[in-house]
């Protein structure tokens, strides 16, 4: 029996309430320190579908700070999804991919068993603004091969705005980027004071991240940087922009992810031992993660593991 079947069987009736998840400021550290607004994971909610990490940043004027500079670092058991509103980031990974992340173009990197990558904003970038998202890989695929996909979705007209569907299906558009569990990822623009109703998959739970504007999601107010969560069971989502200027949102969704995961630093596993093993292999520079070519500097060392065992966390019910 698959975990998805278990999940559907246990899905409760739709909760009409929107859970408002506030962002917390997290300094990323490093020589060009950036602060991001993190809405997943948090104490009250670990995941939305397989989405397990939501960082939102900017608009930051980076002309004086130099912008983003993340040295080669490893990942395991996850996919990274990069989506920009403004700016440009140069990506290099141990698959040999050298790509630019540009506004409106999704870059999805599958770590599988292990990958390493670096992310550096380009010299021409004066403003950085976007989201960095992670997707947890299900047990049967978490040791899959490294992979990379790029897609620039054409905007789809909505009555009251437009959508750019970077993963999954919404408003009649389907992203060609494959996923390992059913997922949705889309940028939405709502015109001033517009109300938009979207058909959605009732098997999905959803999260709506507000970038700009004041929003009503199913009647609940959401402010910029907040993430509104809705349980499965809905066939439509109704969004209202209560401001007199365009609003920008990121809509995430997926079927509930029923496995417990351990997230630590840049790794996702199932047990403390999985994480400790990945850390040991990164520190020893084994072939598991490979090498990033072309980054002008050293790779990031892993931090020390905490003194107590890492605990698995699962879906919030
Ligand atoms: Mn990364």
């Amino acid at each position: 029996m698959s975990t998805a079947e278990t999940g559907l069987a246990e899905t409760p009736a739709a909760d009409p309430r929107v859970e408002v998840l506030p962002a917390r400021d997290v300094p990323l550290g490093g020589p060009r320190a950036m602060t991001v607004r993190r809405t997943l994971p948090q104490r009250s909610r670990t995941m939305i579908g397989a989405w397990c990490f939501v960082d939102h940043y900017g608009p930051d004027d980076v002309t004086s700070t130099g912008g983003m500079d993340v040295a080669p670092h490893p990942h395991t058991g996850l996919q990274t999804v990069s989506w920009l509103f403004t700016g440009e980031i140069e990506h290099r990974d141990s698959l040999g991919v050298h790509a630019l992340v540009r506004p409106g173009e999704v870059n999805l990197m599958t770590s599988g068993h292990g990958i390493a990558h670096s992310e550096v904003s380009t010299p021409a970038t004066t403003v950085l603004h976007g989201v960095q998202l992670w997707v947890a890989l299900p047990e049967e695929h978490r040791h899959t091969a490294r992979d990379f996909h790029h897609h620039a979705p054409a905007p789809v007209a909505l009555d009251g705005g437009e959508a750019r569907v970077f993963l999954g299906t919404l408003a009649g558009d389907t992203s060609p980027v494959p996923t390992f569990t059913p997922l949705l990822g889309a940028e939405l623009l709502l015109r001033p004071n517009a109300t938009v109703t979207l058909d959605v998959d009732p098997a999905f739970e959803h999260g709506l991240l507000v970038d700009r504007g004041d929003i009503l999601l199913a009647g609940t107010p959401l402010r910029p940087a907040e993430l509104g969560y809705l349980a499965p069971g809905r066939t439509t989502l109704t969004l209202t922009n209560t401001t007199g200027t365009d609003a920008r949102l990121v809509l995430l969704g997926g079927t509930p992810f029923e496995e417990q995961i351990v997230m630590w630093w840049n790794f996702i596993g199932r047990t403390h031992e999985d994480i400790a093993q990945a850390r040991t292999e990164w520190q020893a520079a084994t072939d598991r993660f490979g090498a990033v070519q072309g980054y002008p500097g050293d790779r990031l060392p892993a931090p020390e593991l905490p003194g107590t065992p890492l605990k698995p966390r699962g879906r919030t019910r």
Side-chain angles (χ1 to χ4, degrees), residues 70 73-75 80 109 117 119 132 134 266:
V70 186
H73 60 280
H75 287 292
T80 60
M109 182 183 78
H117 74 144
E119 299 154 288
Q132 179 69 40
W134 291 2
N266 292 304

Side-chain angles (χ1 to χ4, degrees), residues 93-168:
D93 68 36
S94 56
L95 189 63
V97 174
H98 179 204
L100 290 174
V101 184
R102 297 193 181 95
E105 303 181 11
V106 70
N107 283 23
L108 178 146
M109 182 183 78
T110 301
S111 76
H113 188 58
I115 200 167
H117 74 144
S118 62
E119 299 154 288
V120 181
S121 52
T122 60
T125 297
T126 55
V127 174
L128 260 186
H129 189 190
V131 290
Q132 179 69 40
L133 312 167
W134 291 2
V135 171
L137 293 174
E139 176 64 28
E140 63 267 38
H141 297 296
R142 68 187 181 98
H143 297 295
T144 191
R146 298 168 193 159
D147 202 0
F148 187 88
H149 290 272
H150 169 267
H151 174 54
V156 179
L158 306 172
D159 184 10
E162 63 182 35
R164 285 175 172 79
V165 183
F166 52 86
L167 282 182

